[in-house]
Amino acid sequence: MNMFDENVWNINSILIKGKEIQDSIPFNREIDSIELRSYIQQAIATPLLYLQIRYSENINEGDLFINSHSSITDIS
């Protein structure tokens, strides 16, 4: 939870065919699922049409994500 009582998920791993790509996705603020999908799509250069994302938890619309591997903190 953040100060606005929204669910914020700490991303520990992003795997594509068993390969870790989380370090290739340099976001350092809370993002929504649409932005996360866009970052992943750009990192692996795959058309959105072919990108399927499976979450290990039950994610709800409006939930936010933060990259636990990011070393930069954006408090703005």
Side-chain angles (χ1 to χ4, degrees), residues 11-14 18 31 40 49 56 58-59:
I11 299 173
N12 295 316
S13 180
I14 300 175
I31 63 173
I40 293 170
L49 176 67
S56 60
N58 291 327
I59 305 300

Side-chain angles (χ1 to χ4, degrees), residues 13-28:
S13 180
I14 300 175
L15 298 171
I16 304 293
K17 295 186 177 183
K19 181 181 176 190
E20 180 62 57
I21 66 159
Q22 186 171 354
D23 292 334
S24 302
I25 303 174
F27 65 92
N28 59 354

Side-chain angles (χ1 to χ4, degrees), residues 65-76:
F65 302 89
I66 190 75
N67 187 347
S68 66
H69 288 193
S70 178
S71 61
I72 302 170
T73 304
D74 183 2
I75 58 173
S76 56

